[in-house]
Amino acid sequence: MSKSPPEINALSDEVKSSWHRFLDVFEPMRPELFRYCRHLTRSPWDAEDLVQDTLARAFVTLGTVFMALPNPRAWIFRVASNLWVDRMRRMRLELTFEAPADSATEPDPRAPREAAGSLLVRLSPQERAAVVLKDVFDFSLQEIADALSTTVGAVKSALHRGRGLLAVPEEPMTRAPAPAVLDAFCAAFNARNLERLTDLLLDSASVEIVGVVTEYGQDAPKNPDTGSFAGTLAPITFDERGGVPPHLLEGYLSTSPRCEVRAYRGSPILVFWYEHEEGALVRTVMAVETDGERIVRVRNYFFTPDVIAELCTELGVPYRVNGYRYWVDGR
C-alpha cells in the first residue's frame, strides 16, 4: 500500500485541528440539533446520521462564508433543514421511478424506505420541518422561513397543513433474529480475542466511532495505539492526549467491558456493559451490518450521548454517557 505524501499528512493534521475547534464551538448546540433531527427522521440512527452530515456540511460551508453569522443556532438548523429537504426530495424521486417489488420474493429490504415514502405522501419535508421548528423549538415565522429558504406566507401554509399530519405514529417493527456473526462477535469480544474479532470483518469493512474516527479493513481496528476495537476492549481512560472527561467517569471501575446482543425496534444491536461502583452500566452501543458470516460495517456510538440515552431508556437499561469528544483544549 502506497503512503500518503507528506503534504497530505500535514493537511490532514491541520484539518483535524480545525474540525476539533469547530466541534468545540458548536458542542453546546448538539443536544438541540439531535432533538431537531430526531423529530424530522423519527429514528435515533437516522437522526445521528443527519447530525453528523449537518456538522460536516456546516464545517465546509463556514469556510466559504465571508460575513459574521448573526445567529449560529438558526444557521446550523438551516443547514440541517436543507440536508433533510434535499434527502427527502431524492427519496421521492427514487420511489416514483422504482419498479414495484415481486410479492412472491423474500421480504423487501427497502420496506423502511417505502414506509418513509408513504409518510412523505402525507407530509412534505418542508411541512414537517416547519411544524417542528415552530412547535418544538419556538422559532419565529421569519426564522423558519430563513431556515427553509422560503417565505413567511409559505411557512404559515405549511404549519396549517402540517400540524395535523405530523402526529402519525411511528411504524411498528417486528423482531428480526440476530445473525450468528453477532453472537460470534460477542463471544470473541468477551474472550478478549482481538484477532478473532477482526477476522469477522470483511477485508473491505469499515469501522467507525461515529463523529470521531473511520477505519477501513481488518488491520486498523486492532492497532494497539489507535484501533477502535483495541480501544473498546481496554478500560476507559483520560490523560494528556484526551479520553472521557473525569467527571463522567465518577464511580467507574477500570475494567474491560462486556458485550451483549439486544433487540432494538426489531433489529439486533450490540450493547457494552462497563462496571461501576453501583453496578454494570451501558456506555456504548454498536450498530452492525452483516453479509452472511462476515461483518461489512460497524458503527460505535460511544461519543453520541443523545443516541445512548434514547436507546438505553427505551431498552430499560441503566447507562452513562461519555460526552461528544475525546480531545482536550480544542486539540
Side-chain angles (χ1 to χ4, degrees):
M1 182 180 295
S2 60
K3 293 183 178 180
S4 299
E7 59 269 24
I8 296 296
N9 294 330
L11 178 61
S12 177
D13 290 339
E14 293 172 8
V15 171
K16 285 189 183 76
S17 179
S18 296
W19 172 241
H20 291 170
R21 290 199 304 273
F22 171 86
L23 293 179
D24 287 343
V25 171
F26 281 90
E27 183 174 304
M29 304 176 199
R30 288 280 292 272
E32 258 199 336
L33 180 60
F34 177 84
R35 284 180 57 220
Y36 178 54
C37 295
R38 180 65 178 84
H39 278 285
L40 294 180
T41 64
R42 309 179 75 177
S43 157
W45 310 117
D46 293 340
E48 187 60 34
D49 283 348
L50 184 54
V51 167
Q52 296 296 330
D53 290 346
T54 297
L55 293 171
R57 176 69 65 83
F59 177 65
V60 173
T61 302
L62 193 61
T64 66
V65 174
F66 292 92
M67 57 181 288
L69 296 177
N71 188 337
R73 174 177 178 262
W75 178 72
I76 200 75
F77 272 61
R78 177 174 185 164
V79 175
S81 300
N82 289 340
L83 284 172
W84 157 257
V85 170
D86 289 345
R87 186 175 298 176
M88 293 302 100
R89 284 173 177 164
R90 289 194 299 270
M91 188 180 290
R92 279 181 182 275
L93 290 174
E94 291 175 5
L95 292 168
T96 300
F97 294 106
E98 196 170 65
D102 184 355
S103 59
T105 62
E106 296 180 356
D108 192 347
R110 296 169 300 183
R113 184 170 52 167
E114 292 174 358
S118 66
L119 174 65
L120 294 180
V121 172
R122 296 191 294 267
L123 186 64
S124 77
Q126 291 94 334
E127 289 165 348
R128 173 177 285 279
V131 173
V132 171
L133 288 171
K134 182 62 178 175
D135 293 352
V136 179
F137 295 94
D138 197 30
F139 272 46
S140 70
L141 294 178
Q142 186 60 58
E143 286 176 326
I144 298 171
D146 292 341
L148 300 179
S149 302
T150 187
T151 65
V152 169
V155 169
K156 291 179 179 178
S157 298
L159 290 172
H160 178 73
R161 171 171 158 74
R163 280 191 167 114
L165 296 173
L166 188 61
V168 177
E170 297 187 11
E171 299 288 337
M173 298 183 68
T174 58
R175 179 170 179 172
V181 67
L182 296 191
D183 292 327
F185 183 99
C186 281
F189 187 93
N190 293 333
R192 314 299 178 218
N193 190 332
L194 189 55
E195 290 297 327
R196 176 57 182 151
L197 274 179
T198 53
D199 285 345
L200 294 171
L201 298 173
L202 282 175
D203 292 340
S204 58
S206 65
V207 178
E208 302 169 59
I209 301 177
V210 175
V212 173
V213 66
T214 301
E215 303 163 326
Y216 299 100
Q218 293 181 325
D219 292 332
K222 65 182 178 183
N223 184 300
D225 296 320
T226 62
S228 61
F229 281 4
T232 305
L233 279 168
I236 303 173
T237 59
F238 180 84
D239 55 31
E240 68 278 359
R241 296 174 300 177
V244 176
H247 72 278
L248 296 177
L249 292 177
E250 293 179 2
Y252 165 66
L253 303 178
S254 186
T255 57
S256 296
R258 172 176 56 86
C259 179
E260 177 189 9
V261 180
R262 287 285 185 114
Y264 175 76
R265 298 195 177 193
S267 298
I269 62 171
L270 300 176
V271 300
F272 294 81
W273 296 87
Y274 293 74
E275 292 298 327
H276 295 71
E277 292 175 357
E278 64 266 47
L281 304 173
V282 174
R283 295 196 75 118
T284 192
V285 298
M286 290 186 188
V288 181
E289 298 176 18
T290 62
D291 181 6
E293 297 181 354
R294 305 294 292 279
I295 293 173
V296 177
R297 186 185 190 195
V298 178
R299 306 196 79 201
N300 182 343
Y301 289 84
F302 190 87
F303 287 109
T304 61
D306 306 297
V307 174
I308 292 173
E310 177 169 340
L311 267 65
C312 290
T313 298
E314 190 164 331
L315 289 172
V317 299
Y319 67 91
R320 286 276 189 89
V321 297
N322 311 295
Y324 292 102
R325 56 192 174 100
Y326 68 88
W327 57 90
V328 292
D329 299 327
R331 288 182 289 175

